[in-house]
Amino acid sequence: LDYERDIKVEGTTLYFNFSNTYDKIQRQWYNQYKEMIPSKATMQDTVKKESAFVEIKSSYRFRAGRDGSVTSAFVVDFSKLSNFNEINEAVHYMNTIP
């Protein structure tokens, strides 16, 4: 996933483009779990049922300037997730890669 294209963090709020994220996860799902990935609708419903889920923004800009297209974004308060520290470190590491 690419920071400021597929995901972005503001404080403990994680914004992600669901379609881009799902497409990338789909590629590695079978290798990791040895089964077919759940449908896109099932995955969306699962995310929406999580206590960390905040909302879906119909219009969100992941990157400022001309390179920043406007798209939809799922919004999650990842401080509510059990693996908060792991996610926080991974996202901040992604943000430092040129």
Side-chain angles (χ1 to χ4, degrees):
L1 296 172
D2 294 323
Y3 193 80
E4 290 191 337
R5 189 186 70 120
D6 303 316
I7 65 171
K8 188 171 182 180
V9 171
E10 295 176 4
T12 60
T13 305
L14 172 69
Y15 298 82
F16 67 97
N17 178 280
F18 188 88
S19 294
N20 289 352
T21 303
Y22 181 85
D23 291 346
K24 289 185 179 183
I25 290 170
Q26 185 177 29
R27 295 179 201 155
Q28 74 180 45
W29 188 276
Y30 186 81
N31 290 335
Q32 187 168 347
Y33 298 108
K34 304 300 183 219
E35 62 184 31
M36 295 302 294
I37 189 169
S39 72
K40 196 172 189 177
T42 299
M43 294 289 270
Q44 286 177 337
D45 288 342
T46 301
V47 171
K48 290 176 188 176
K49 290 177 185 173
E50 287 292 323
S51 63
F53 176 75
V54 177
E55 67 178 322
I56 299 174
K57 289 197 169 280
S58 60
S59 179
Y60 184 76
R61 186 178 301 271
F62 284 88
R63 182 177 300 160
R66 283 193 245 177
D67 294 341
S69 62
V70 176
T71 186
S72 63
F74 272 55
V75 183
V76 174
D77 179 356
F78 70 100
S79 69
K80 294 181 179 180
L81 299 174
S82 61
N83 54 349
F84 165 74
N85 289 330
E86 181 182 337
I87 294 169
N88 191 39
E89 289 175 17
V91 170
H92 287 289
Y93 173 75
M94 290 173 67
N95 191 19
T96 63
I97 298 172

XYZ file of all heavy atoms in Angstrom:
814
model
N 0.846 -1.175 0.000
C 0.000 0.000 0.000
C 0.888 1.234 0.000
O 1.922 1.250 0.659
C -0.900 0.001 1.232
C -1.904 -1.139 1.329
C -2.595 -1.117 2.679
C -2.915 -1.066 0.220
N 0.490 2.235 -0.714
C 1.278 3.459 -0.803
C 0.678 4.542 0.076
O -0.526 4.832 -0.005
C 1.315 3.964 -2.249
C 2.046 3.020 -3.173
O 3.046 2.440 -2.741
O 1.604 2.873 -4.333
N 1.553 5.115 0.923
C 1.129 6.199 1.792
C 0.771 7.418 0.938
O 1.453 7.731 -0.010
C 2.240 6.549 2.791
C 1.755 7.440 3.903
C 1.056 6.901 4.977
C 1.959 8.803 3.860
C 0.587 7.704 5.995
C 1.497 9.617 4.873
C 0.811 9.066 5.935
O 0.332 9.870 6.938
N -0.303 8.078 1.282
C -0.871 9.237 0.582
C -1.401 8.892 -0.812
O -1.629 9.775 -1.628
C 0.115 10.401 0.515
C 0.344 11.051 1.861
C 1.098 12.362 1.764
O 1.826 12.589 0.776
O 0.942 13.168 2.692
N -1.584 7.615 -1.090
C -2.301 7.202 -2.287
C -3.401 6.227 -1.893
O -4.533 6.358 -2.312
C -1.390 6.571 -3.327
C -2.119 6.348 -4.659
C -1.256 5.601 -5.626
N -1.108 4.233 -5.180
C -1.481 3.181 -5.895
N -1.970 3.331 -7.083
N -1.323 1.972 -5.421
N -3.050 5.232 -1.085
C -4.012 4.239 -0.618
C -4.419 4.474 0.826
O -5.534 4.152 1.216
C -3.426 2.830 -0.719
C -2.987 2.488 -2.125
O -3.746 2.782 -3.069
O -1.883 1.933 -2.287
N -3.482 4.979 1.631
C -3.750 5.218 3.049
C -3.135 6.530 3.493
O -2.216 7.057 2.859
C -3.192 4.088 3.941
C -1.673 4.043 3.868
C -3.813 2.753 3.601
C -1.054 3.120 4.880
N -3.674 7.049 4.612
C -3.125 8.250 5.222
C -3.528 8.244 6.687
O -4.600 7.751 7.034
C -3.663 9.504 4.533
C -2.999 10.783 4.991
C -3.404 11.943 4.130
C -2.697 13.209 4.577
N -3.093 14.340 3.727
N -2.668 8.787 7.539
C -2.936 8.851 8.967
C -2.925 10.299 9.414
O -2.046 11.072 9.038
C -1.877 8.051 9.760
C -2.016 8.278 11.250
C -1.994 6.579 9.438
N -3.919 10.646 10.215
C -3.970 11.940 10.880
C -4.232 11.640 12.348
O -5.348 11.249 12.708
C -5.072 12.808 10.274
C -4.825 13.184 8.830
C -5.968 13.963 8.187
O -6.949 14.281 8.891
O -5.875 14.238 6.988
N -3.201 11.776 13.177
C -3.314 11.401 14.588
C -3.479 9.894 14.684
O -2.638 9.148 14.215
N -4.589 9.451 15.283
C -4.866 8.014 15.363
C -5.982 7.620 14.396
O -6.560 6.545 14.519
C -5.249 7.590 16.793
O -6.426 8.304 17.183
C -4.115 7.840 17.764
N -6.254 8.494 13.448
C -7.282 8.209 12.456
C -6.631 7.740 11.165
O -5.768 8.417 10.618
C -8.151 9.454 12.187
O -8.691 9.922 13.428
C -9.285 9.144 11.241
N -7.036 6.562 10.731
C -6.522 5.965 9.512
C -7.574 6.109 8.418
O -8.732 5.732 8.611
C -6.219 4.488 9.736
C -5.835 3.657 8.508
C -4.470 4.077 7.987
C -5.846 2.167 8.851
N -7.183 6.680 7.295
C -8.036 6.804 6.118
C -7.488 5.827 5.085
O -6.275 5.780 4.877
C -7.971 8.216 5.538
C -8.471 9.286 6.480
C -7.655 9.812 7.477
C -9.770 9.775 6.365
C -8.110 10.788 8.346
C -10.233 10.753 7.224
C -9.401 11.260 8.214
O -9.865 12.218 9.067
N -8.357 5.051 4.463
C -7.872 4.181 3.395
C -8.909 4.033 2.294
O -10.107 4.053 2.544
C -7.426 2.811 3.929
C -8.514 1.933 4.484
C -9.098 0.952 3.705
C -8.932 2.080 5.793
C -10.085 0.129 4.222
C -9.910 1.263 6.326
C -10.490 0.287 5.536
N -8.393 3.937 1.074
C -9.255 3.709 -0.071
C -9.544 2.220 -0.099
O -8.633 1.407 -0.287
C -8.574 4.168 -1.352
C -9.438 3.903 -2.558
O -9.481 2.782 -3.043
N -10.130 4.920 -3.018
N -10.803 1.849 0.119
C -11.148 0.445 0.260
C -10.840 -0.348 -1.005
O -10.277 -1.433 -0.932
C -12.615 0.258 0.648
C -12.931 -1.155 0.986
C -12.774 -1.615 2.273
C -13.340 -2.054 0.011
C -13.012 -2.939 2.592
C -13.577 -3.379 0.306
C -13.418 -3.826 1.606
N -11.200 0.168 -2.159
C -11.002 -0.580 -3.413
C -9.536 -0.872 -3.678
O -9.170 -2.009 -3.993
C -11.607 0.178 -4.593
O -13.010 0.229 -4.459
N -8.684 0.127 -3.548
C -7.246 -0.084 -3.764
C -6.688 -1.081 -2.753
O -5.894 -1.959 -3.100
C -6.468 1.228 -3.645
C -6.710 2.161 -4.803
O -7.339 1.813 -5.791
N -6.230 3.381 -4.669
N -7.097 -0.940 -1.510
C -6.619 -1.829 -0.451
C -7.079 -3.253 -0.691
O -6.288 -4.200 -0.605
C -7.095 -1.319 0.919
O -6.636 0.026 1.098
C -6.575 -2.183 2.049
N -8.347 -3.429 -1.010
C -8.886 -4.764 -1.265
C -8.154 -5.420 -2.436
O -7.771 -6.591 -2.359
C -10.385 -4.693 -1.548
C -11.012 -6.048 -1.794
C -11.438 -6.833 -0.733
C -11.180 -6.538 -3.091
C -12.013 -8.080 -0.943
C -11.747 -7.785 -3.317
C -12.167 -8.546 -2.242
O -12.723 -9.781 -2.460
N -7.963 -4.678 -3.507
C -7.282 -5.229 -4.683
C -5.878 -5.713 -4.344
O -5.437 -6.765 -4.819
C -7.217 -4.204 -5.805
C -8.581 -3.912 -6.420
O -9.539 -4.681 -6.163
O -8.701 -2.903 -7.139
N -5.162 -4.967 -3.511
C -3.798 -5.371 -3.153
C -3.800 -6.551 -2.196
O -2.969 -7.442 -2.311
C -3.043 -4.183 -2.580
C -2.737 -3.171 -3.672
C -1.899 -2.038 -3.216
C -1.642 -1.128 -4.402
N -0.773 -0.023 -4.083
N -4.739 -6.573 -1.265
C -4.834 -7.694 -0.334
C -5.235 -8.966 -1.078
O -4.743 -10.055 -0.782
C -5.829 -7.382 0.798
C -5.256 -6.305 1.711
C -6.174 -8.636 1.601
C -6.252 -5.767 2.713
N -6.103 -8.823 -2.045
C -6.593 -9.961 -2.818
C -5.433 -10.738 -3.448
O -5.458 -11.958 -3.507
C -7.549 -9.456 -3.893
C -8.220 -10.531 -4.692
C -9.211 -9.939 -5.679
O -9.054 -8.819 -6.145
N -10.235 -10.691 -6.004
N -4.413 -10.047 -3.870
C -3.266 -10.676 -4.531
C -2.492 -11.603 -3.604
O -1.898 -12.578 -4.044
C -2.323 -9.606 -5.074
C -2.932 -8.784 -6.164
C -1.965 -7.726 -6.646
N -2.697 -6.667 -7.302
C -2.278 -5.426 -7.422
N -1.106 -5.080 -6.931
N -3.002 -4.526 -8.024
N -2.453 -11.291 -2.326
C -1.654 -12.104 -1.419
C -2.487 -12.988 -0.493
O -1.932 -13.828 0.216
C -0.740 -11.214 -0.580
C -1.464 -10.435 0.505
C -0.525 -9.571 1.316
O 0.326 -8.889 0.758
N -0.676 -9.591 2.611
N -3.789 -12.833 -0.491
C -4.659 -13.555 0.439
C -4.465 -15.072 0.357
O -4.271 -15.728 1.374
C -6.120 -13.188 0.186
C -7.056 -13.743 1.216
C -7.605 -14.986 1.251
C -7.534 -13.070 2.374
N -8.408 -15.135 2.336
C -8.382 -13.967 3.057
C -7.344 -11.790 2.902
C -9.034 -13.631 4.229
C -7.998 -11.467 4.077
C -8.825 -12.372 4.728
N -4.551 -15.630 -0.846
C -4.461 -17.084 -0.984
C -3.115 -17.613 -0.493
O -3.057 -18.625 0.204
C -4.712 -17.540 -2.421
C -4.763 -19.044 -2.508
C -5.919 -19.734 -2.177
C -3.638 -19.779 -2.863
C -5.962 -21.126 -2.215
C -3.657 -21.165 -2.898
C -4.825 -21.833 -2.572
O -4.857 -23.201 -2.579
N -2.045 -16.921 -0.842
C -0.713 -17.357 -0.409
C -0.596 -17.394 1.110
O 0.053 -18.267 1.668
C 0.375 -16.445 -0.975
C 0.532 -16.606 -2.465
O 0.214 -17.650 -3.018
N 1.019 -15.563 -3.110
N -1.244 -16.448 1.764
C -1.136 -16.369 3.210
C -2.111 -17.301 3.927
O -1.750 -17.936 4.905
C -1.374 -14.933 3.669
C -1.117 -14.716 5.143
C -1.070 -13.252 5.508
O -0.986 -12.374 4.650
N -1.137 -12.972 6.793
N -3.362 -17.383 3.438
C -4.404 -18.130 4.157
C -4.820 -19.434 3.487
O -5.618 -20.175 4.040
C -5.636 -17.244 4.361
C -5.329 -16.028 5.190
C -5.280 -14.760 4.609
C -5.072 -16.141 6.550
C -5.000 -13.633 5.376
C -4.779 -15.026 7.321
C -4.752 -13.776 6.723
O -4.459 -12.672 7.480
N -4.336 -19.688 2.281
C -4.660 -20.923 1.533
C -6.169 -21.086 1.318
O -6.710 -22.187 1.368
C -4.091 -22.163 2.238
C -2.614 -22.111 2.488
C -1.819 -21.985 1.215
C -0.323 -22.012 1.521
N 0.445 -21.098 0.734
N -6.836 -19.973 1.089
C -8.264 -19.968 0.764
C -8.572 -18.708 -0.026
O -7.785 -17.769 -0.048
C -9.120 -20.020 2.032
C -8.941 -18.835 2.942
C -9.724 -18.934 4.237
O -9.937 -20.050 4.740
O -10.128 -17.879 4.746
N -9.714 -18.707 -0.664
C -10.123 -17.532 -1.447
C -10.489 -16.387 -0.513
O -11.022 -16.605 0.583
C -11.321 -17.876 -2.332
C -11.010 -18.919 -3.406
S -9.660 -18.429 -4.505
C -10.390 -17.049 -5.336
N -10.235 -15.177 -0.952
C -10.555 -13.993 -0.164
C -12.083 -13.842 -0.081
O -12.792 -14.146 -1.045
C -9.907 -12.737 -0.795
C -10.038 -11.525 0.129
C -10.483 -12.444 -2.171
C -9.207 -10.328 -0.313
N -12.591 -13.387 1.058
C -14.026 -13.092 1.126
C -14.384 -12.008 0.104
O -13.522 -11.228 -0.320
C -14.219 -12.580 2.555
C -13.061 -13.137 3.318
C -11.928 -13.199 2.335
N -15.634 -11.943 -0.253
C -16.063 -10.948 -1.249
C -15.813 -9.536 -0.735
O -15.688 -9.300 0.475
C -17.544 -11.116 -1.556
O -18.319 -10.671 -0.461
N -15.769 -8.611 -1.667
C -15.557 -7.209 -1.320
C -16.651 -6.719 -0.375
O -16.378 -6.030 0.609
C -15.534 -6.375 -2.609
C -14.965 -5.005 -2.468
C -14.839 -4.383 -3.852
C -14.075 -3.105 -3.801
N -13.881 -2.522 -5.123
N -17.893 -7.094 -0.648
C -19.017 -6.678 0.196
C -18.885 -7.244 1.609
O -19.149 -6.540 2.597
C -20.333 -7.110 -0.430
N -18.453 -8.502 1.712
C -18.257 -9.124 3.022
C -17.173 -8.398 3.805
O -17.321 -8.128 5.006
C -17.900 -10.619 2.867
O -18.974 -11.276 2.212
C -17.622 -11.273 4.203
N -16.092 -8.080 3.137
C -14.996 -7.371 3.799
C -15.441 -5.976 4.248
O -15.106 -5.543 5.355
C -13.788 -7.270 2.871
C -13.149 -8.601 2.556
S -12.272 -9.311 3.933
C -10.665 -8.626 3.664
N -16.208 -5.283 3.403
C -16.702 -3.956 3.789
C -17.599 -4.061 5.016
O -17.474 -3.264 5.955
C -17.474 -3.312 2.639
C -16.588 -2.821 1.529
C -17.373 -2.241 0.371
O -18.546 -2.548 0.166
N -16.724 -1.403 -0.406
N -18.501 -5.019 5.022
C -19.400 -5.210 6.165
C -18.612 -5.519 7.442
O -18.948 -5.024 8.515
C -20.409 -6.326 5.894
C -21.460 -5.930 4.878
O -21.630 -4.715 4.622
O -22.106 -6.848 4.329
N -17.577 -6.335 7.321
C -16.747 -6.685 8.467
C -16.080 -5.446 9.051
O -16.072 -5.245 10.266
C -15.696 -7.738 8.069
O -16.369 -8.895 7.573
C -14.809 -8.114 9.239
N -15.524 -4.603 8.191
C -14.871 -3.373 8.650
C -15.901 -2.463 9.323
O -15.645 -1.914 10.401
C -14.167 -2.640 7.490
C -13.676 -1.264 7.928
C -13.018 -3.465 6.949
N -17.051 -2.316 8.719
C -18.085 -1.429 9.263
C -18.582 -1.872 10.641
O -19.033 -1.046 11.429
C -19.276 -1.352 8.308
C -18.986 -0.606 7.038
C -20.194 -0.670 6.125
C -19.920 -0.115 4.756
N -21.088 -0.274 3.860
N -18.495 -3.162 10.947
C -18.966 -3.685 12.232
C -17.930 -3.534 13.351
O -18.248 -3.719 14.517
C -19.353 -5.158 12.088
C -20.609 -5.354 11.273
C -20.917 -6.821 11.084
C -22.117 -6.994 10.155
N -22.341 -8.405 9.830
N -16.702 -3.211 12.995
C -15.647 -3.044 13.991
C -15.898 -1.800 14.840
O -16.367 -0.780 14.329
C -14.278 -2.914 13.314
C -13.741 -4.199 12.747
C -13.394 -5.196 13.840
O -12.905 -4.798 14.922
O -13.603 -6.398 13.599
N -15.549 -1.881 16.114
C -15.741 -0.727 17.005
C -14.856 0.447 16.597
O -15.166 1.594 16.900
C -15.457 -1.116 18.451
O -14.109 -1.508 18.604
N -13.770 0.178 15.903
C -12.855 1.234 15.465
C -13.355 1.986 14.230
O -12.853 3.063 13.912
C -11.485 0.643 15.176
N -14.350 1.424 13.543
C -14.876 2.063 12.333
C -15.550 3.378 12.700
O -16.336 3.453 13.638
C -15.875 1.143 11.632
C -16.526 1.765 10.432
C -15.826 1.917 9.251
C -17.834 2.220 10.488
C -16.412 2.492 8.137
C -18.430 2.799 9.380
C -17.719 2.935 8.206
N -15.249 4.434 11.943
C -15.822 5.757 12.191
C -16.869 6.102 11.143
O -18.019 6.387 11.478
C -14.722 6.847 12.231
C -15.321 8.228 12.415
C -13.700 6.537 13.321
N -16.466 6.088 9.867
C -17.372 6.476 8.792
C -16.741 6.175 7.443
O -15.581 5.778 7.356
C -17.696 7.969 8.872
C -16.478 8.864 8.586
C -16.784 10.345 8.615
O -17.869 10.745 8.145
O -15.933 11.103 9.107
N -17.520 6.419 6.396
C -17.007 6.404 5.028
C -17.157 7.819 4.495
O -18.258 8.378 4.500
C -17.785 5.433 4.117
C -17.671 4.004 4.633
C -17.265 5.529 2.681
C -18.534 3.004 3.879
N -16.052 8.403 4.102
C -16.093 9.737 3.492
C -16.234 9.548 1.986
O -15.445 8.841 1.378
C -14.828 10.520 3.800
C -14.727 10.967 5.240
C -13.682 12.052 5.354
C -13.730 12.715 6.694
N -14.779 13.696 6.817
N -17.227 10.189 1.406
C -17.432 10.056 -0.036
C -16.419 10.872 -0.836
O -16.188 10.601 -2.013
C -18.853 10.471 -0.410
O -19.082 11.811 -0.048
N -15.790 11.834 -0.176
C -14.827 12.687 -0.860
C -13.650 12.959 0.076
O -13.805 13.625 1.094
C -15.500 13.998 -1.263
O -14.599 14.851 -1.899
N -12.492 12.431 -0.272
C -11.301 12.609 0.557
C -10.075 12.701 -0.351
O -9.961 11.990 -1.335
C -11.141 11.436 1.533
C -9.979 11.602 2.476
C -10.056 12.472 3.548
C -8.788 10.924 2.258
C -8.979 12.645 4.407
C -7.702 11.086 3.103
C -7.818 11.953 4.176
O -6.749 12.126 5.011
N -9.162 13.587 -0.001
C -7.932 13.766 -0.773
C -6.759 13.191 0.032
O -6.441 13.677 1.105
C -7.685 15.242 -1.062
C -6.507 15.512 -1.973
C -6.325 16.996 -2.266
N -7.477 17.600 -2.885
C -7.695 17.665 -4.205
N -6.818 17.137 -5.032
N -8.769 18.249 -4.679
N -6.152 12.142 -0.500
C -5.043 11.492 0.186
C -3.747 12.275 0.047
O -2.904 12.228 0.909
C -4.831 10.067 -0.354
C -5.853 9.099 0.161
C -7.056 8.909 -0.501
C -5.624 8.381 1.316
C -7.996 8.023 -0.026
C -6.556 7.492 1.808
C -7.750 7.309 1.130
N -3.570 12.971 -1.048
C -2.340 13.723 -1.307
C -2.715 15.126 -1.753
O -3.583 15.296 -2.594
C -1.515 13.020 -2.379
C -0.199 13.693 -2.689
C 0.606 12.910 -3.691
N 0.867 11.588 -3.131
C 1.198 10.531 -3.841
N 1.314 10.614 -5.139
N 1.421 9.371 -3.267
N -2.021 16.110 -1.221
C -2.282 17.506 -1.584
C -1.702 17.810 -2.971
O -0.831 17.100 -3.465
C -1.656 18.433 -0.547
N -2.198 18.853 -3.581
C -1.665 19.299 -4.859
C -2.267 18.590 -6.046
O -3.274 17.900 -5.955
N -1.623 18.762 -7.192
C -2.131 18.185 -8.438
C -2.168 16.665 -8.442
O -2.959 16.057 -9.129
C -1.288 18.649 -9.619
C -1.600 20.054 -10.033
C -0.975 20.313 -11.361
N 0.049 21.327 -11.192
C 0.832 21.745 -12.135
N 0.763 21.224 -13.336
N 1.706 22.677 -11.910
N -1.242 16.063 -7.694
C -1.179 14.602 -7.639
C -2.269 14.004 -6.763
O -2.451 12.798 -6.745
C 0.173 14.141 -7.095
C 1.320 14.481 -8.025
O 1.059 14.729 -9.216
O 2.467 14.501 -7.560
N -2.971 14.834 -6.028
C -3.959 14.343 -5.072
C -5.358 14.273 -5.631
O -6.086 15.254 -5.610
N -5.726 13.122 -6.121
C -7.089 12.967 -6.621
C -8.041 12.786 -5.444
O -7.662 12.355 -4.365
C -7.181 11.760 -7.560
O -6.851 10.587 -6.865
N -9.289 13.133 -5.671
C -10.326 13.009 -4.656
C -11.039 11.680 -4.871
O -11.429 11.343 -5.984
C -11.324 14.182 -4.742
C -12.457 14.005 -3.742
C -10.608 15.506 -4.506
N -11.189 10.917 -3.790
C -11.823 9.611 -3.857
C -12.522 9.347 -2.529
O -12.472 10.178 -1.622
C -10.783 8.514 -4.182
O -11.453 7.281 -4.386
C -9.749 8.377 -3.089
N -13.124 8.202 -2.399
C -13.765 7.851 -1.134
C -12.722 7.270 -0.180
O -11.673 6.797 -0.606
C -14.886 6.845 -1.359
O -14.372 5.650 -1.880
N -13.048 7.295 1.115
C -12.130 6.754 2.118
C -12.906 6.154 3.281
O -13.882 6.748 3.748
C -11.206 7.841 2.640
N -12.485 4.974 3.698
C -12.963 4.407 4.949
C -12.159 5.078 6.055
O -10.948 5.299 5.895
C -12.734 2.899 4.987
C -13.851 2.086 4.406
C -14.299 2.303 3.115
C -14.450 1.087 5.144
C -15.321 1.544 2.574
C -15.474 0.320 4.620
C -15.918 0.553 3.333
N -12.807 5.385 7.160
C -12.145 6.068 8.271
C -12.209 5.167 9.496
O -13.283 4.705 9.873
C -12.818 7.427 8.567
C -12.080 8.159 9.678
C -12.903 8.280 7.304
N -11.043 4.924 10.100
C -10.937 4.032 11.245
C -10.099 4.709 12.330
O -9.055 5.288 12.033
C -10.255 2.702 10.826
C -10.001 1.807 12.012
C -11.078 1.989 9.769
N -10.558 4.631 13.566
C -9.761 5.090 14.704
C -8.934 3.901 15.157
O -9.389 3.062 15.928
C -10.659 5.589 15.827
C -9.876 6.053 17.045
O -8.627 5.929 17.056
O -10.516 6.533 17.997
N -7.705 3.813 14.659
C -6.919 2.607 14.901
C -6.370 2.530 16.316
O -5.836 1.497 16.720
C -5.851 2.380 13.830
C -4.697 3.343 13.815
C -3.494 3.002 14.386
C -4.809 4.566 13.183
C -2.417 3.862 14.348
C -3.745 5.438 13.136
C -2.546 5.082 13.734
N -6.568 3.558 17.134
C -6.177 3.467 18.545
C -7.074 2.477 19.288
O -6.723 1.990 20.361
C -6.233 4.831 19.230
O -7.575 5.277 19.367
N -8.225 2.137 18.711
C -9.159 1.195 19.322
C -8.847 -0.258 18.967
O -9.492 -1.159 19.464
C -10.593 1.520 18.891
C -11.078 2.851 19.410
C -12.499 3.112 18.990
C -12.984 4.443 19.535
N -14.362 4.716 19.131
N -7.857 -0.472 18.115
C -7.508 -1.834 17.700
C -6.458 -2.421 18.633
O -5.590 -1.708 19.137
C -6.984 -1.822 16.260
C -7.968 -1.312 15.205
C -7.277 -1.217 13.853
C -9.187 -2.218 15.126
N -6.521 -3.727 18.826
C -5.594 -4.394 19.737
C -4.144 -4.303 19.259
O -3.227 -4.320 20.072
C -5.990 -5.854 19.933
O -5.958 -6.539 18.699
N -3.936 -4.206 17.957
C -2.573 -4.115 17.420
C -2.219 -2.681 17.033
O -1.493 -2.437 16.080
C -2.380 -5.075 16.251
C -3.408 -4.896 15.162
O -4.404 -4.201 15.330
N -3.177 -5.519 14.028
N -2.690 -1.725 17.821
C -2.476 -0.300 17.566
C -1.006 0.036 17.363
O -0.636 0.700 16.394
C -3.048 0.537 18.716
C -2.572 1.961 18.725
C -3.064 2.872 17.803
C -1.619 2.395 19.637
C -2.630 4.186 17.790
C -1.175 3.710 19.639
C -1.682 4.603 18.712
N -0.139 -0.409 18.268
C 1.278 -0.054 18.169
C 1.908 -0.577 16.883
O 2.680 0.125 16.243
C 2.049 -0.563 19.389
C 1.708 0.219 20.642
O 1.377 1.399 20.573
N 1.770 -0.443 21.779
N 1.573 -1.782 16.505
C 2.110 -2.372 15.278
C 1.662 -1.574 14.045
O 2.467 -1.273 13.158
C 1.635 -3.819 15.169
C 2.142 -4.547 13.957
C 1.595 -5.977 13.897
O 1.203 -6.533 14.927
O 1.577 -6.512 12.774
N 0.394 -1.230 14.001
C -0.135 -0.452 12.871
C 0.492 0.930 12.860
O 0.920 1.424 11.812
C -1.666 -0.359 12.937
C -2.289 -1.740 12.751
C -2.201 0.622 11.891
C -3.764 -1.793 13.048
N 0.564 1.557 13.998
C 1.123 2.902 14.099
C 2.558 2.934 13.600
O 2.930 3.800 12.806
C 1.033 3.384 15.549
C 1.349 4.847 15.702
O 0.973 5.666 14.869
N 2.012 5.184 16.780
N 3.369 1.976 14.029
C 4.758 1.917 13.582
C 4.863 1.664 12.087
O 5.671 2.284 11.396
C 5.509 0.832 14.351
C 5.764 1.190 15.801
C 6.392 0.061 16.581
O 6.920 -0.887 15.962
O 6.382 0.138 17.827
N 4.055 0.766 11.552
C 4.088 0.442 10.121
C 3.712 1.644 9.271
O 4.361 1.965 8.276
C 3.175 -0.724 9.821
N 2.657 2.346 9.668
C 2.198 3.506 8.896
C 3.220 4.621 8.948
O 3.525 5.257 7.939
C 0.813 3.979 9.382
C 0.444 5.306 8.773
C -0.241 2.932 9.068
N 3.769 4.872 10.118
C 4.761 5.934 10.212
C 6.049 5.580 9.467
O 6.696 6.449 8.904
C 5.015 6.309 11.672
C 3.864 7.065 12.250
N 3.561 8.356 11.900
C 2.913 6.683 13.121
C 2.483 8.751 12.527
N 2.053 7.746 13.268
N 6.395 4.300 9.421
C 7.537 3.869 8.628
C 7.258 4.118 7.141
O 8.116 4.626 6.417
C 7.828 2.384 8.876
C 8.891 1.839 7.958
C 10.232 2.136 8.162
C 8.547 1.047 6.864
C 11.214 1.656 7.319
C 9.527 0.557 6.014
C 10.849 0.859 6.242
O 11.810 0.390 5.395
N 6.048 3.785 6.698
C 5.683 4.017 5.291
C 5.796 5.488 4.930
O 6.172 5.831 3.816
C 4.245 3.535 5.023
C 4.078 2.050 5.045
S 2.345 1.581 4.938
C 1.953 2.114 3.276
N 5.460 6.336 5.867
C 5.486 7.778 5.631
C 6.909 8.313 5.495
O 7.114 9.382 4.936
C 4.757 8.494 6.775
C 4.499 9.947 6.478
O 4.525 10.393 5.341
N 4.251 10.711 7.514
N 7.903 7.566 5.961
C 9.290 8.041 5.877
C 10.014 7.549 4.630
O 11.101 8.023 4.331
C 10.092 7.571 7.117
O 10.146 6.149 7.141
C 9.491 8.109 8.397
N 9.407 6.626 3.887
C 10.045 6.092 2.681
C 9.834 7.084 1.542
O 8.706 7.474 1.258
C 9.445 4.715 2.304
C 9.706 3.709 3.428
C 10.029 4.217 0.992
C 8.990 2.392 3.233
N 10.904 7.501 0.890
C 10.766 8.489 -0.208
C 10.070 7.912 -1.423
O 10.031 6.782 -1.681
C 12.193 8.882 -0.545
C 13.089 7.925 0.157
C 12.283 7.172 1.149
